[in-house]
Amino acid sequence: MMKTNTLGTKLKLALFVLTAMLAGCNSDKKDTVVEITPERTGHSVARMWNEVVLDAIRNDYARPTVHARNLFHISSAMYDSWSTYNNKATPFLFGQVLNSYECKSVEVEIPEDVLPSQETAISYATYRLISHRFANSPGAGFIQNEADVLMNDLGLDTDYDSLDYINGENKAAALGNYIANCYIEFGLTDGSNEQNDYANTSYKPINPNIKLGDAAPGNPDVIDMNRWQRIELDNFIDQAGNLVTGIPEFLGAEWGQVVPFALSENDKVTFNRDGFDYQVYHDPGQPPYIGGVLSDQYKWGFSMVSIWSSHLDESDDTMVDISPASLGNIQSFPSSVESYDQFYNFIDGGDSSQGYALNPSTNQPYEPQMVPRADYARVLAEFWADGPSSETPPGHWFTILNTVSDHPQLVKRWSGQGETLGNLEWDVKTYFALGGTMHDAAIAAWGVKGWYDYVRPVAAIRAMADLGQSTDENLPSYHVNGIPLVDNYIELVTEGDPLVGENNEHLNKIKLYAWKGPSYIEVPSEDVAGVGWILAERWWTYQRPSFVTPPFAGYVSGHSTFSRAAAELMTLMTGDAYFPGGMSGFDIKANEFLVFERGPSVDMTLQWATYRDASDQCSLSRIWGGIHPPADDIPGRKMGLIIGPESFEKANAMFNGN
C-alpha cells in the first residue's frame, strides 16, 4: 500500500503549499499559521514508556529471550508509530510483510504539527502491547496500573480502542492501537510459541536432573558430561525473585526459530535432532567436549571457574586497580580454544586488559582506584547477574542507554554526524536499534544453546570430581576424565585432612579451595560464606541457594553475546567508542550492595572508559559467578561483534527509507 513518503503524497503536499500561497495573494484572506508543538521538557514520551516496560520486566519472570523480544517489539511499535508520520523513514511492520504475516496499511495523512500525533500513536501502541504481553506476569496488577497511570498523566483515554486510523474520532490513537494489534498478531506467527507460553515443542534433555542440596552431593546420575542438566532444588526462585513451581525446563531451547531483525539467512545453519530443525546463526562450532580432541581445554576451563571462586574471600588482602588506568582496552580475542590460556589469568583472575594512558575527553590520566579483589569480583558477579528487581541482560543495556542519553555531554547526533536530534527522535531510533540488536543476540545465542545443549560449571565440576583426578596416574583416584590437580586450589583429600570424615569416608576425594557456598550464610545482610577447602562434590556457584544457575544450556554465554552486541551498537549509534566524558560508572556502597552475602567491605565505583570495556567486564563477571567457563564466553563475544554492526546497518537503512 502507499505510504506517506510516496511521490503521490509529496505532490499532494506541494499542491497544499501552492494553494496556501495563492490564497495569501488575496488581500481578503489571512495567512493560516500552524503552531508547532515544541519538544516537551525532560524525558520524551518514548523514554517514559521505556521506563514502564523496564519496570514490567522487573516484575515478570526472568526470561532473557522473551524480554529481548518484548523490548524489540515494543520499541519497534514505537518506531512504526513515529515513522508513519515521517516522510523519510520506513516502518518495520506497519505496511510490511514479515514471515508471511502482512500488516496491511493505507496512506496516513501527515499533519504539519506532527509531534502530538506521534506521541499519541506511540503511547497507544506501547500501552496495548504492554497490557497484552504482561497480562499473565506475576506482577500483572502492578504493571497494568503503572501503564494506566502514565496514560492518565498524558491525558489519554485507555478505553479508546478504535483501530480506524483513517476515519476514527482520534486517528493517532487508532493508529497506535492498529500497530499494536499487528504486533500482537505477528507475535503469534514468529516462531516464539507465545500462545503456549513460549514452551519448547521438541527439545528433551538427555541427562537426568542434577540434584543439589545438603543431601545430594556430586553429580552421580549424569549420563553425558558434555550435555545440559536440569537442576532439582527444594525451592527454585528465579532471578527476578519469583517462586517457580516444579523443576524449570530449558528456557528457549528452540529460540533459533524466531523471526529476527537483521540476522541473515546466509548466516544460518540448520541442524536436525529428533526430527526437529535447530536453526543456528553465526555458528561458532562445537565447544570443548570431555573425551574429545579438546578434552584438556574442557578440564582447563571448568577448573578455572573453580579457582576463580577462591577470589571471593572478604578476608583476602589482594588489591587490584579497577580504574580505566588498568582495565579495559582489550585489543583482540583468542583465535582458538587452545589459546584461551593466553587471554585469561588462570590463577589470579582477569584478562588481557591494557588500560588507557589518558581520558580523551579531559586529556588527563585516569585516576587509579585500588580495591580488594574479593570485593570487586563479588560486586561484578552480582551487578551483572541481573538478579531480583533487574530488567534481565537485554534490559540492562537499555538502562545503560538511558544513562548515556541523559548525560549532559552527549550530543544527540545519529552516529555522531548530522543535525542534533530532538529527544523523541533520538529515543525512538536508539530504542529501535538496540531492541533489534538484543532480539537478534537472543536468537543467535539461544540457537546455539539449544543445538549444542552444553553443560554448566556446577554439573561439570562435580561430575569430573566424582571421577577423580586426571593429572597423575600414580596418585589415587585417577581417571582420564577427572579434574586436573592444581596445587593450593584442587587437591586430593589425604589422611588427617579435616575433610576426611570420621571414618575416612572422604579419603582420596577431590577438594577445592573455593567459595564455601550459601549453607554458610544464615542472614545474607550480616554473614559471609568466605573461602576455604570444601569437598568438590559440594561446590556451589556464587548465587542464592534457591537459584544456582540459569535454566538453560551454557554455550554460548548470553551475557557475552548481549553485551558485546550492545557495545558495538552503542559505539556506532553515538559515533564514539567512549562513554560521554570519557568514562561512566556505577557507585557501590560498602555493606549495602551485595545480596548473596554481606559486602562489599569498601565503597567503590565500577568504571568503564568505553562501551566495549563494560561488555568485557560483564563477560568476566559470569566466570567469577560460577555461571560460565571461558569456552562459553569468547564465542559469545565474537558473535556480538557481528550482530551489533549488522543491526546498526539495517536500522540505519530503514531510517533513510530503504
Side-chain angles (χ1 to χ4, degrees):
M1 302 300 293
M2 290 181 65
K3 184 184 175 291
T4 53
N5 61 357
T6 62
L7 178 60
T9 301
K10 291 180 179 179
L11 288 172
K12 289 179 182 179
L13 289 172
L15 287 172
F16 172 82
V17 173
L18 179 60
T19 302
M21 290 174 62
L22 290 173
C25 295
N26 189 330
S27 58
D28 294 330
K29 301 286 186 178
K30 292 185 177 180
D31 291 339
T32 301
V33 178
V34 177
E35 293 187 6
I36 304 300
T37 304
E39 284 259 5
R40 63 180 63 238
T41 58
H43 290 153
S44 73
V45 163
R47 170 65 177 274
M48 295 176 191
W49 280 111
N50 180 254
E51 296 289 358
V52 175
V53 175
L54 293 175
D55 245 5
I57 293 172
R58 295 177 188 116
N59 286 275
D60 190 26
Y61 294 108
R63 302 180 288 184
T65 50
V66 173
H67 293 313
R69 175 176 174 270
N70 283 336
L71 283 162
F72 173 52
H73 284 186
I74 293 172
S75 297
S76 187
M78 287 187 192
Y79 167 70
D80 283 4
S81 301
W82 175 86
S83 63
T84 302
Y85 290 107
N86 181 280
N87 279 321
K88 188 176 183 182
T90 300
F92 179 74
L93 184 59
F94 182 71
Q96 311 296 325
V97 178
L98 285 177
N99 196 42
S100 300
Y101 173 79
E102 182 180 6
C103 177
K104 297 180 179 179
S105 69
V106 295
E107 185 178 354
V108 174
E109 180 182 355
I110 302 179
E112 282 194 63
D113 186 11
V114 73
L115 184 64
S117 295
Q118 289 175 322
E119 290 188 333
T120 298
I122 286 170
S123 295
Y124 276 89
T126 308
Y127 177 79
R128 298 297 176 204
L129 267 175
I130 290 173
S131 298
H132 172 75
R133 290 284 172 84
F134 295 93
N136 297 319
S137 299
F142 171 85
I143 295 166
Q144 189 61 57
N145 180 69
E146 193 168 7
D148 289 341
V149 167
L150 180 53
M151 287 289 280
N152 182 66
D153 289 345
L154 294 172
L156 302 175
D157 181 7
T158 59
D159 293 329
Y160 188 78
D161 58 3
S162 171
L163 303 179
D164 187 356
Y165 58 89
I166 298 301
N167 301 306
E169 177 184 346
N170 187 334
K171 296 178 182 179
L175 177 65
N177 289 336
Y178 183 84
I179 288 173
N181 190 64
C182 280
Y183 277 91
I184 290 170
E185 291 179 350
F186 169 66
L188 301 178
T189 72
D190 73 341
S192 66
N193 200 20
E194 179 187 339
Q195 53 269 51
N196 293 305
D197 200 26
Y198 312 100
N200 299 320
T201 61
S202 176
Y203 172 85
K204 300 293 181 186
I206 192 174
N207 278 314
N209 303 336
I210 178 173
K211 300 177 182 179
L212 300 179
D214 290 339
N219 190 4
D221 300 325
V222 64
I223 295 172
D224 187 340
M225 291 169 58
N226 296 310
R227 300 284 289 275
W228 182 74
Q229 290 175 272
R230 295 197 307 166
I231 291 179
E232 194 169 322
L233 296 169
D234 293 334
N235 293 297
F236 183 88
I237 298 175
D238 77 359
Q239 283 180 286
N242 299 299
L243 180 64
V244 178
T245 57
I247 303 170
E249 301 288 345
F250 189 136
L251 173 70
E254 299 157 9
W255 206 254
Q257 304 281 83
V258 176
V259 176
F261 169 58
L263 295 174
S264 168
E265 289 289 313
N266 296 330
D267 298 325
K268 185 176 73 175
V269 180
T270 301
F271 299 99
N272 187 277
R273 183 173 64 230
D274 300 329
F276 183 83
D277 287 339
Y278 288 86
Q279 298 183 8
V280 177
Y281 293 89
H282 301 300
D283 178 27
Q286 69 182 32
Y289 289 144
I290 194 82
V293 295
L294 296 177
S295 188
D296 287 345
Q297 282 69 36
Y298 176 107
K299 291 183 280 188
W300 175 87
F302 287 112
S303 296
M304 194 181 90
V305 175
S306 166
I307 290 171
W308 280 28
S309 74
S310 72
H311 303 158
L312 310 176
D313 186 0
E314 188 179 73
S315 64
D316 184 1
D317 59 5
T318 302
M319 303 293 286
V320 294
D321 178 16
I322 65 169
S323 77
S326 296
L327 296 185
N329 197 19
I330 292 174
Q331 297 298 302
S332 63
F333 296 131
S335 59
S336 66
V337 177
E338 292 89 343
S339 60
Y340 286 0
D341 60 352
Q342 300 172 34
F343 181 80
Y344 300 95
N345 189 320
F346 184 73
I347 296 296
D348 295 328
D351 54 27
S352 58
S353 287
Q354 299 183 27
Y356 301 86
L358 296 174
N359 180 328
S361 179
T362 65
N363 206 34
Q364 297 296 314
Y366 288 101
E367 183 178 350
Q369 182 189 179
M370 303 299 297
V371 302
R373 180 181 60 183
D375 283 336
Y376 175 64
R378 290 185 300 159
V379 164
L380 274 198
E382 292 204 27
F383 178 81
W384 292 104
D386 298 289
S389 300
S390 177
E391 54 285 316
T392 74
H396 204 145
W397 279 93
F398 272 79
T399 65
I400 291 173
L401 169 59
N402 286 338
T403 301
V404 170
S405 296
D406 287 343
H407 198 286
Q409 290 181 249
L410 176 74
V411 180
K412 295 180 178 178
R413 293 197 298 261
W414 180 254
S415 197
Q417 301 173 357
E419 63 182 7
T420 301
L421 305 182
N423 287 343
L424 182 65
E425 183 173 355
W426 172 263
D427 288 339
V428 165
K429 286 183 172 180
T430 55
Y431 290 158
F432 175 65
L434 182 58
T437 302
M438 296 296 89
H439 182 55
D440 281 359
I443 292 169
W446 265 257
V448 173
K449 287 176 183 287
W451 169 244
Y452 290 105
D453 196 33
Y454 199 50
V455 61
R456 288 283 189 173
V458 70
I461 290 171
R462 289 184 175 213
M464 285 193 295
D466 283 351
L467 295 177
Q469 55 87 16
S470 59
T471 298
D472 191 339
E473 294 184 33
N474 298 315
L475 291 177
S477 303
Y478 176 80
H479 192 285
V480 66
N481 291 333
I483 195 168
L485 299 177
V486 180
D487 288 345
N488 302 317
Y489 296 98
I490 305 173
E491 298 181 356
L492 289 170
V493 175
T494 58
E495 290 187 14
D497 192 301
L499 295 175
V500 76
E502 292 184 4
N503 300 308
N504 282 354
E505 62 268 25
H506 301 309
L507 182 65
N508 295 326
K509 285 185 177 181
I510 302 295
K511 66 176 183 177
L512 307 174
Y513 190 69
W515 188 66
K516 293 191 291 186
S519 61
Y520 287 82
I521 300 170
E522 292 185 8
V523 182
S525 62
E526 299 176 5
D527 300 334
V528 291
V531 166
W533 286 105
I534 60 171
L535 293 173
E537 64 190 27
R538 300 287 185 183
W539 185 83
W540 201 275
T541 60
Y542 181 67
Q543 298 288 325
R544 291 170 287 120
S546 55
F547 179 69
V548 187
T549 202
F552 39 82
Y555 183 78
V556 297
S557 167
H559 277 67
S560 293
T561 312
F562 282 130
S563 294
R564 193 65 191 201
E568 295 301 316
L569 180 79
M570 293 281 289
T571 299
L572 292 166
M573 287 196 306
T574 62
D576 193 345
Y578 289 81
F579 280 91
M583 186 172 69
S584 185
F586 187 86
D587 292 331
I588 306 290
K589 291 296 182 183
N591 296 318
E592 292 183 10
F593 179 77
L594 296 185
V595 174
F596 306 154
E597 61 181 5
R598 185 188 71 235
S601 64
V602 298
D603 292 344
M604 71 174 70
T605 302
L606 296 181
Q607 296 175 325
W608 321 291
T610 70
Y611 304 110
R612 293 168 179 139
D613 295 340
S615 166
D616 292 332
Q617 188 186 80
C618 174
S619 296
L620 290 185
S621 77
R622 304 304 277 170
I623 302 176
W624 267 307
I627 304 300
H628 287 292
D632 295 349
D633 173 22
I634 295 297
R637 299 198 210 192
K638 289 183 175 180
M639 290 168 67
L641 279 169
I642 303 170
I643 293 167
E646 281 182 342
S647 296
F648 174 80
E649 291 301 325
K650 175 153 187 175
N652 199 47
M654 295 182 69
F655 298 158
N656 289 293
N658 299 323

